[in-house]
Amino acid sequence: MTTTLPSLERGVMSSSTPPAPLRVTVWSEALHEQRDAEVAKRYPQGMHGAIADGISQYLGEEARVRTATLREPEHGLTAEVLAETDVLTWWGQLAHREVSDEVVKRVHRRVLAGMGLIVLHSGHLSKIFTRLMGTTCTLRWRAAEDRELVWTTAPDHPIAAGVPHPIVIEQQEMYGEFFDIPAPDELVFISSFSGGEVFRSGCTFRRGHGRIFYFSPGDQDYPVYHHPDVRRVIANAVRWAAPAAERERPRLLHSETGWFLDGDGGRDVGGDVGRGGGDFGGGDVSGVRA
């Protein structure tokens, strides 16, 4: 489902012009609900539909939300879609390996350029999250209808705004430590489970110009994405991760000695960020608010 967005300069406003809405793309595999009647009953619009509804519920006219799924061409994440995305949310579980490496590189470049990324639940094993983290992102888990309490560890953080302490989720898949991720920039939430485990369930990271938030609650076997407090957290995270202004595409420049004295910015020799382009090159990363 795609929403046509107004052609407005991102991040620019005057006293008479309201800010342009955040452009949000909600991505998921959309496989469980096609294969399991109980999941389809629980999430009749798919988990991506429930997540998108939650963002719209709390952000209203502040956001324009579209969805994209695995089986669409290029997984629904074409260069054009990503160019019109300020924040991308990601949910996956069954088909991490089916996600195209080229699409992962494309998303990776956009995050480094400033696009926000919200990774949800089992998205911790997605190609894009493990690539950005540089670790296995493995953890301990159990599907046994555990009760989860989500405790706020950073009450002044924007992602925690309006969130009760704790969030009570009566039934949920257990995630436990050790969670193999780099030390988060900020730990916003930790969770405890009825079986005794604890987990770093809400973590922020910054990669390049992009802000990343990982949030663990949410599973196909439980109606977690209908939970109002979980929805609020995700909406808060979208607002927090959104870039604030346009950034130019990083370029590889050759500069003569003293270039800064005469205002010569240097000669563009092609490529992006690294010599020869590498994993960061070959794509336009402009048009993202940072």
Side-chain angles (χ1 to χ4, degrees):
M1 178 180 68
T2 301
T3 301
T4 302
L5 303 177
S7 178
L8 295 173
E9 186 175 355
R10 312 302 300 164
V12 177
M13 63 177 293
S14 68
S15 58
S16 59
T17 304
L22 301 178
R23 303 169 298 182
V24 183
T25 300
V26 173
W27 189 90
S28 81
E29 295 170 345
L31 296 179
H32 286 92
E33 50 269 47
Q34 297 179 32
R35 301 178 181 182
D36 188 323
E38 288 300 315
V39 177
K41 182 178 179 180
R42 190 173 299 116
Y43 292 108
Q45 296 181 318
M47 279 178 285
H48 54 289
I51 294 165
D53 284 347
I55 294 169
S56 296
Q57 175 187 351
Y58 282 99
L59 296 189
E61 293 301 314
E62 185 181 343
R64 293 291 181 267
V65 184
R66 75 173 96 199
T67 62
T69 58
L70 180 73
R71 298 300 187 217
E72 296 177 45
E74 300 182 64
H75 312 318
L77 299 176
T78 64
E80 292 76 17
V81 167
L82 290 175
E84 292 295 322
T85 298
D86 296 315
V87 181
L88 173 67
T89 75
W90 192 283
W91 194 101
Q93 185 182 74
L94 293 176
H96 296 311
R97 293 181 182 181
E98 294 183 34
V99 176
S100 159
D101 290 340
E102 183 56 38
V103 170
V104 172
K105 289 180 181 180
R106 188 182 300 156
V107 173
H108 186 258
R109 287 194 295 264
R110 296 293 290 172
V111 171
L112 296 183
M115 182 181 73
L117 178 66
I118 313 302
V119 178
L120 300 170
H121 192 59
S122 48
H124 68 91
L125 286 180
S126 64
K127 288 182 178 180
I128 184 58
F129 191 62
T130 56
R131 183 186 186 93
L132 287 162
M133 296 298 103
T135 57
T136 68
C137 301
T138 51
L139 45 75
R140 187 183 307 273
W141 68 278
R142 176 178 62 249
E145 299 184 354
D146 278 80
R147 183 174 185 253
E148 179 178 4
L149 301 179
V150 184
W151 303 92
T152 302
T153 58
D156 293 331
H157 198 285
I159 295 176
V163 174
H165 179 68
I167 299 172
V168 179
I169 303 173
E170 292 296 343
Q171 292 184 330
Q172 166 67 340
E173 183 177 39
M174 186 281 293
Y175 275 10
E177 299 289 342
F178 176 64
F179 187 19
D180 184 23
I181 54 172
D185 292 339
E186 300 152 311
L187 182 61
V188 184
F189 303 108
I190 60 171
S191 288
S192 60
F193 292 85
S194 50
E197 294 86 359
V198 296
F199 187 70
R200 290 169 289 168
S201 54
C203 307
T204 74
F205 306 89
R206 290 167 177 81
R207 295 293 184 269
H209 297 306
R211 291 181 171 189
I212 303 164
F213 180 61
Y214 173 75
F215 189 52
S216 65
D219 185 78
Q220 72 280 355
D221 291 333
Y222 308 101
V224 181
Y225 291 125
H226 298 300
H227 193 300
D229 299 324
V230 170
R231 287 181 162 209
R232 182 183 291 275
V233 169
I234 295 170
N236 286 350
V238 166
R239 183 184 285 127
W240 169 83
E246 296 278 1
R247 284 195 182 272
E248 293 184 358
R249 178 178 58 151
R251 297 177 296 156
L252 179 65
L253 297 174
H254 175 269
S255 296
E256 301 293 342
T257 302
W259 64 270
F260 51 87
L261 298 176
D262 58 11
D264 178 14
R267 177 167 54 88
D268 189 346
V269 297
D272 301 297
V273 181
R275 185 174 297 277
D279 287 343
F280 312 130
D284 185 359
V285 293
S286 62
V288 177
R289 305 196 304 180

